[in-house]
Amino acid sequence: MLNDFLLLMKAELVLAFILFLLLILKVGKEITNERLLALIQLLLLGNFIFGFFFIENGSLFGGMFTTNGLIAFQKSIISLGIYLISLLFSDWLKKSEHLPEFFILLLSAVLGMFFLISSGNLLMFYLSLELATIPVAAMANFDLDKKISSEASMKMILSSALSSGVLLFGISLIYGATGTISFDQIPALLDGNGLQILAFVFLFTAFAFKLSIVPFHLWTADVYEGSPIAVTSFLSVISKGAITFILLTTLYKVFAPIHDLWYNMVMLLSVITMVVGNLFALRQQNIKRFLAFSSIAQVGFILLGISSHSMEGTSSVVYFVLIYVFSNLAAFGVAGAISQTAGKERIEDYKGLYQTNPLISWVLALSLFSLAGIPPTAGFFGKLFLITAGASKGNYFFITVAALNMIISLYYYLRIVRAVFMDTNPQPIPKINLDPATKLGMIICGAGIIFIGLLSWVYDYITTLSL
Amino acid sequence: MNLTLLILLPLLTAVVILLMRSGVQVKWSAFIGASAQFILALILFFAFRKERALGNEAQMLFELQYKWFPSWHISFHLGVDGISVAMILLTAFVVIAGVLVSWNVEKMTKEFYLLLILLSLGAYGFFISLDLFILFFFLEIAVIPKYLLIGIWGSGKKDYAANKLALMLMGGSALVLVGLLGLYFGGTENTFDLLLLSKMQIPVLVQKICFPLLFVGFGVFTALFPFHTWVPDGHSSAPTAGSMFLAGISMKLGGYGCLRVATYLLPEGAREYANIIIVLSAIAILYGAFATMMQKDLKYINAYSSVSHCGFVLLGIGMLTKTAIAGAVMQMVSHGLMTALFFAVIGMIYERTHTREVNEMGGLIKVMPFITTVLFIVGLCSLGLPGLSGFVAEMTVFMGAWQNPDPFHRVATIAACMSIVVTAVYILRAIGQTAMGPISERYLSLQDARWNEKLAAIILIAGIIAIGITPFWLNDLVTPAADIIMQKVAGK
């Protein structure tokens, strides 16, 4: 039993260990931010690498906690994401007065996400979702001297409280309709009657809030704009990734029997999300708001893949999230470096960036091309597989709309590319001296964007996991 | 002959260019890379002929297949037939000429050559792929380099033109994507493999839905009316080499796709929509020709005449006879060489006179005999003078078109034929105003072509004349492949 416990929960245990280590360091003797950050980066790298060892299948606590190869891989994606965040924003983190607290909050949220992905029970699911949300709201307030940051935090608390309420209501309805909250037992008891559908709708609404699916997306842009960029990137990449994974489990495992009922809904929401996200992104001037809306559009594509309800759906969604981690974090990393040194966050400030900062410009361009789905970047493969998975049910009208959405998104991604490469600026952003850790993070992201797609074994590996 | 070399060589060139420091090193490495591509294409051509002469009758030669995303039934499947070899030869000719004429690009030289080489990579990959997924992959690879080439090094309203081009081509590829997905799921087995799909019975309904998607999608690339509007803006705003690549190579991607993917894989669809294609391409031919008459800017003249000439490609495909399809492919090669040369000459003239307005020029033959001679050759090729490639290609299309005996095809053919008269009018007028007449004082000090420009022009003229005087080799190369496509369309 103890052996099982240690092995199956090893990812969570390692994370908890790092968390307590940070707490001890915090109360212990003074240590400079540089050294502490280097230590944290090392620990997070260790955590990421450790994620690939001792992978076991099994469940604990009467099915409340389950794990298998795919779940372990999903956790590795998240570990990779937080490692990249610790690298990319090291300039900002070093200057922060509360570095240990930041990572304590961040790791608590990630711990919540790990339990979330592993949860096999609606109660566990709810608890871990709260653990994954509340620390993030505190993190959103991390620019302590900025009013807009507190506003972001407040908006985030309110919207997540609302979605938690909706979620709890949904859970109680499911319990009422089926008499169980275990993921293993619910499917057999689903027959698609009215109460169950109502329960499903409430449950899905909570997901929609967290994933900012249209029409539950209104909190996103304000929160993203107000939070520090490191937190924004965490919210839009890591949080969304984790929620996507559990949505995948919930829809494919728990609600598989009523697939016919949710298929059309998910497909429709996917297309609406894409269109609205894209149309709003067209007019944004602030890079953070811009990335917020573009991430809404990306979620639309994820939903398209999910709607297929097939093994291809699982693997292409996980694959896309992996690619999304690299591409979006690279874009946020560049935005963070520029905002940190030059204090500029508007797209028009990026004019002429290529003249002064070629490396950053190429990283930004690569990440934008990947987000837009242009070959040879990984985003092309990710998006294409999502669309192909979505097309397997033959709903060509929606598929065409999705494909046409790629044109709209290309337009606004090219807007930034044009500003960076083509436009001239009398006062371009000065040459930025990147921290070596930031540079490393950008190089990892760039390499990931180029090679994850071209090397097909990454996808094959995910496919074997999702069998 | 290993076909992956055609992809690896541009890739290697791109890496070498990235490592170079000075502009001169970049230029020379690009030139060496382009020459190597040129030699490789010639080797491929002769190896292909040798295999055929030895009696190898396989549909595709030099086939290669590597595993790539097996769970989606995708494989890195390469192979060439006569049509692909012809297109690869064309690409190699245009690439080397394009590299040569941009010798004096001073702004961001490294990036410029890098993008040119990436564009050629996309084109080679597109022409040799036998898997629709990688075909699409290479088709889209080429979009962003075009956007950046126009946006950074272009002139005039370059922002508008670059955006229009990128978005329209992306729209075309979106339609192609949906069509390809229809093929993937529509057949008896899920696959992207071109040869497997060609042997499959694809349901008629799927064919009728997918054919317009694929044909219009690829058609956007090759200026199918009414989706041709990116052509004049894009071509006239692009830098010289950019225009050459756009008109010489990029527009041919579309024609090749229409033929190889849409028509070959979906014969029922092709028969169903052939008349619409004919009408649209006849409109494009006539509209392009008449629109050219009104142009005063040399680049716009060539851009609109490209719309007209590319109409012949689509007309040949729509006529659905073996000769007409072979003619369409020959027209692609001929127009690629001719239009690349035309843009090269326009670039040379513009660099010296700093104007592209026909009215402001005159008598240039007195100061730059070489450049104006090239202009004469390319103009005569464009209006279809026997002995040059344009005549051979258009004649073949007309002959093939005439094989359809019914009045509809006859009328369309005659209408298309009439455009040749219009072409003669605008070409002769443009050349006459540019080269003849009294010369303005400010042009008296202009220099004739430099070595690199001469070399580029000679390479392209050699191609044009080789097709014009001895068309048999191109015909022999293309016709068997066209025959295979035609047999499938005829349902044999």
Side-chain angles (χ1 to χ4, degrees):
Chain A
M1 176 66 198
L2 184 67
N3 249 346
D4 279 356
F5 178 73
L6 286 178
L7 266 180
L8 292 178
M9 285 183 66
K10 52 111 194 170
E12 289 75 12
L13 290 173
V14 171
L15 217 53
F17 168 75
I18 298 175
L19 241 168
F20 280 106
L21 196 69
L22 285 179
L23 268 178
I24 294 167
L25 284 175
K26 167 75 184 161
V27 295
K29 69 172 184 178
E30 284 294 308
I31 177 168
T32 59
N33 263 1
E34 273 94 32
R35 296 183 59 186
L36 186 60
L37 184 63
L39 176 70
I40 293 174
Q41 284 164 352
L42 211 61
L43 284 171
L44 290 180
L45 177 64
N47 171 46
F48 168 63
I49 293 170
F50 186 65
F52 288 101
F53 295 98
F54 310 115
I55 296 171
E56 300 267 331
N57 293 355
S59 63
L60 285 173
F61 315 127
M64 272 194 139
F65 180 94
T66 60
T67 184
N68 57 37
L70 185 65
I71 289 178
F73 186 76
Q74 292 172 343
K75 287 176 184 169
S76 290
I77 294 178
I78 292 180
S79 302
L80 173 72
I82 51 175
Y83 173 59
L84 284 176
I85 287 183
S86 76
L87 288 178
L88 286 169
F89 303 100
S90 50
D91 257 340
W92 181 77
L93 290 167
K94 272 180 198 165
K95 295 205 178 87
S96 166
E97 289 171 33
H98 304 279
L99 176 66
E101 286 90 335
F102 181 83
F103 274 100
I104 289 169
L105 287 171
L106 185 134
L107 290 175
S108 317
V110 172
L111 192 61
M113 288 166 194
F114 277 18
F115 279 117
L116 182 69
I117 300 173
S118 275
S119 56
N121 183 305
L122 284 173
L123 202 60
M124 182 75 173
F125 167 66
Y126 175 72
L127 285 176
S128 47
L129 188 65
E130 291 299 288
L131 180 56
T133 311
I134 294 172
V136 183
M139 281 159 70
N141 198 7
F142 232 71
D143 270 345
L144 292 172
D145 48 353
K146 280 189 192 154
K147 214 170 137 189
I148 191 171
S149 183
S150 324
E151 186 193 323
S153 169
M154 201 63 211
K155 277 186 177 154
M156 174 142 190
I157 283 279
L158 286 177
S159 69
S160 35
L162 181 61
S163 73
S164 296
V166 173
L167 177 63
L168 269 181
F169 193 43
I171 290 175
S172 57
L173 283 180
I174 286 183
Y175 186 66
T178 61
T180 176
I181 49 170
S182 158
F183 281 7
D184 291 333
Q185 291 163 8
I186 293 175
L189 299 163
L190 287 180
D191 52 14
N193 67 32
L195 186 60
Q196 288 173 357
I197 292 172
L198 189 66
F200 174 75
V201 167
F202 275 113
L203 204 68
F204 193 85
T205 307
F207 276 116
F209 260 110
K210 302 282 179 197
L211 279 176
S212 44
I213 294 168
V214 175
F216 306 102
H217 65 289
L218 294 165
W219 60 277
T220 320
D222 289 342
V223 173
Y224 280 23
E225 189 186 5
S227 314
I229 293 192
V231 182
T232 310
S233 66
F234 181 80
L235 260 173
S236 88
V237 180
I238 315 289
S239 289
K240 280 205 176 146
I243 310 272
T244 307
F245 294 146
I246 185 67
L247 177 64
L248 209 57
T249 320
T250 323
L251 288 185
Y252 282 21
K253 240 175 88 183
V254 184
F255 291 100
I258 54 167
H259 164 247
D260 293 340
L261 293 174
W262 58 257
Y263 166 69
N264 283 322
M265 186 186 86
V266 172
M267 196 77 170
L268 191 68
L269 283 178
S270 141
V271 172
I272 294 177
T273 306
M274 255 179 241
V275 172
V276 172
N278 274 336
L279 291 183
F280 276 93
L282 282 178
R283 298 183 55 85
Q284 299 306 319
Q285 298 302 326
N286 178 298
I287 187 94
K288 276 152 86 182
R289 283 184 86 88
F290 168 80
L291 287 171
F293 280 108
S294 88
S295 81
I296 293 178
Q298 305 283 348
V299 167
F301 276 98
I302 291 180
L303 283 183
L304 190 64
I306 290 181
S307 75
S308 74
H309 189 250
S310 58
M311 194 201 85
E312 284 84 14
T314 314
S315 44
S316 56
V317 168
V318 174
Y319 183 59
F320 186 79
V321 172
L322 173 66
I323 292 163
Y324 184 66
V325 165
F326 282 113
S327 0
N328 222 6
L329 281 184
F332 274 116
V334 172
I338 289 169
S339 144
Q340 180 65 22
T341 47
K344 290 176 173 171
E345 289 185 356
R346 290 172 65 79
I347 291 175
E348 57 190 47
D349 298 328
Y350 282 53
K351 283 182 181 171
L353 183 69
Y354 185 66
Q355 301 304 330
T356 49
N357 297 291
L359 175 75
I360 295 189
S361 307
W362 279 120
V363 173
L364 184 63
L366 263 183
S367 66
L368 293 175
F369 290 151
S370 180
L371 288 172
I374 304 280
T377 59
F380 170 77
F381 298 93
K383 263 196 183 156
L384 218 63
F385 293 161
L386 284 180
I387 293 183
T388 314
S392 62
K393 290 273 182 293
N395 209 333
Y396 285 104
F397 174 71
F398 285 135
I399 297 299
T400 314
V401 177
L404 292 176
N405 259 290
M406 287 175 77
I407 311 171
I408 310 180
S409 67
L410 182 71
Y411 174 77
Y412 58 73
Y413 289 123
L414 283 182
R415 233 181 86 201
I416 299 184
V417 172
R418 187 170 70 214
V420 169
F421 285 90
M422 302 176 192
D423 290 344
T424 49
N425 192 351
Q427 291 166 307
I429 289 164
K431 174 103 185 92
I432 296 172
N433 284 319
L434 288 178
D435 190 274
T438 313
K439 214 177 231 170
L440 175 67
M442 285 184 182
I443 289 169
I444 295 177
C445 286
I449 290 170
I450 294 176
F451 291 111
I452 297 268
L454 294 175
L455 303 175
S456 74
W457 56 261
V458 181
Y459 183 78
D460 296 338
Y461 177 66
I462 298 175
T463 315
T464 50
L465 288 179
S466 40
L467 278 173
Chain B
M1 166 95 203
N2 190 327
L3 286 177
T4 40
L5 283 177
L6 278 171
I7 299 171
L8 291 179
L9 189 65
L11 206 60
L12 183 74
T13 317
V15 173
V16 171
I17 288 177
L18 265 181
L19 297 176
M20 289 297 150
R21 297 202 171 272
S22 73
V24 179
Q25 286 173 334
V26 168
K27 281 173 200 169
W28 279 103
S29 33
F31 178 59
I32 292 168
S35 317
Q37 285 178 21
F38 189 70
I39 293 166
L40 198 64
L42 287 178
I43 292 174
L44 173 70
F45 171 63
F46 287 112
F48 185 87
R49 278 173 62 109
K50 199 175 149 203
E51 281 287 317
R52 283 280 190 253
L54 290 175
N56 189 341
E57 291 298 319
Q59 186 189 353
M60 295 289 168
L61 294 188
F62 312 120
E63 267 189 73
L64 280 174
Q65 199 158 10
Y66 300 109
K67 271 198 167 155
W68 211 44
F69 297 107
S71 38
W72 286 112
H73 312 283
I74 295 165
S75 63
F76 207 82
H77 191 178
L78 307 177
V80 287
D81 65 357
I83 298 179
S84 330
V85 173
M87 303 316 288
I88 288 166
L89 270 180
L90 163 69
T91 312
F93 269 85
V94 176
V95 169
I96 193 166
V99 166
L100 278 172
V101 298
S102 357
W103 210 251
N104 43 3
V105 168
E106 297 299 336
K107 182 183 173 191
M108 297 201 251
T109 317
K110 191 191 237 182
E111 288 82 352
F112 184 82
Y113 279 99
L114 189 68
L115 293 174
L116 283 190
I117 296 294
L118 283 180
L119 245 173
S120 70
L121 170 79
Y124 287 124
F126 183 84
F127 291 134
I128 60 177
S129 42
L130 290 183
D131 186 283
L132 297 179
F133 182 85
I134 54 171
L135 183 119
F136 184 69
F137 173 80
F138 284 117
L139 179 73
E140 285 220 325
I141 270 192
V143 172
I144 293 299
K146 287 175 215 160
Y147 174 79
L148 292 174
L149 276 175
I150 296 179
I152 300 180
W153 292 274
S155 55
K157 23 176 203 170
K158 55 182 184 176
D159 277 1
Y160 170 75
N163 253 332
K164 190 168 178 179
L165 169 129
L167 295 176
M168 285 193 73
L169 295 190
M170 203 58 191
S173 5
L175 295 181
V176 169
L177 172 62
V178 180
L180 292 186
L181 290 178
L183 277 177
Y184 180 77
F185 290 111
T188 41
E189 178 192 344
N190 291 356
T191 180
F192 278 119
D193 194 284
L194 194 119
L195 296 182
L196 282 181
L197 280 169
S198 72
K199 293 186 186 84
M200 231 177 247
Q201 278 299 324
I202 297 168
V204 177
L205 182 69
V206 176
Q207 298 210 17
K208 282 183 182 167
I209 296 171
C210 287
F211 183 83
L213 288 170
L214 285 170
F215 201 90
V216 172
F218 283 120
V220 174
F221 283 78
T222 189
L224 170 71
F225 185 85
F227 305 102
H228 64 281
T229 53
W230 64 271
V231 177
D233 293 316
H235 286 22
S236 53
S237 307
T240 304
S243 311
M244 290 168 69
F245 275 48
L246 265 179
I249 305 172
S250 183
M251 286 174 81
K252 309 303 172 286
L253 301 183
Y256 181 85
C258 284
L259 190 59
R260 170 79 79 216
V261 183
T263 311
Y264 180 48
L265 294 183
L266 302 166
E268 298 269 349
R271 283 205 295 273
E272 174 86 15
Y273 294 101
N275 288 352
I276 300 177
I277 297 171
I278 290 170
V279 170
L280 288 180
S281 48
I283 293 176
I285 292 169
L286 287 173
Y287 164 81
F290 281 112
T292 317
M293 296 252 292
M294 304 305 295
Q295 304 302 321
K296 301 273 182 277
D297 181 316
L298 274 177
K299 268 199 162 179
Y300 270 101
I301 290 179
N302 194 26
Y304 274 107
S305 82
S306 285
V307 174
S308 174
H309 283 117
C310 279
F312 284 108
V313 176
L314 295 175
L315 184 79
I317 296 174
M319 286 297 171
L320 294 181
T321 64
K322 185 175 92 178
T323 320
I325 286 180
V329 177
M330 290 164 83
Q331 170 75 353
M332 280 200 263
V333 179
S334 150
H335 175 252
L337 293 171
M338 174 186 90
T339 197
L341 183 57
F342 210 147
F343 276 123
V345 177
I346 294 169
M348 293 174 204
I349 294 175
Y350 177 68
E351 199 192 308
R352 289 166 174 79
T353 61
H354 302 290
T355 179
R356 296 191 312 233
E357 294 293 316
V358 175
N359 295 342
E360 293 174 20
M361 290 183 234
L364 293 182
I365 197 165
K366 297 190 182 78
V367 285
M368 353 191 223
F370 182 85
I371 294 179
T372 35
T373 311
V374 177
L375 187 65
F376 274 118
I377 293 175
V378 74
L380 295 177
C381 178
S382 177
L383 62 77
L385 187 79
L388 297 171
S389 65
F391 170 76
V392 173
E394 282 171 18
M395 197 61 199
T396 318
V397 173
F398 290 141
M399 303 244 292
W402 207 252
Q403 288 170 357
N404 290 308
D406 58 302
F408 171 75
H409 286 88
R410 288 276 150 93
V411 170
T413 314
I414 292 169
C417 277
M418 289 193 323
S419 79
I420 290 184
V421 183
V422 186
T423 310
V425 171
Y426 65 72
I427 287 288
L428 291 177
R429 200 168 63 185
I431 296 180
Q433 284 188 353
T434 314
M436 308 300 198
I439 184 165
S440 157
E441 292 232 342
R442 62 200 153 123
Y443 295 143
L444 280 174
S445 59
L446 296 181
Q447 301 291 314
D448 205 0
R450 286 179 294 274
W451 68 270
N452 54 315
E453 294 165 335
K454 281 183 182 163
L455 187 56
I458 288 169
I459 289 172
L460 290 173
I461 291 175
I464 290 175
I465 292 181
I467 299 173
I469 295 181
T470 53
F472 318 106
W473 62 269
L474 185 61
N475 201 15
D476 292 348
L477 190 66
V478 166
T479 308
D483 193 30
I484 291 177
I485 294 177
M486 221 17 251
Q487 278 177 11
K488 171 116 165 116
V489 174
K492 280 175 200 157

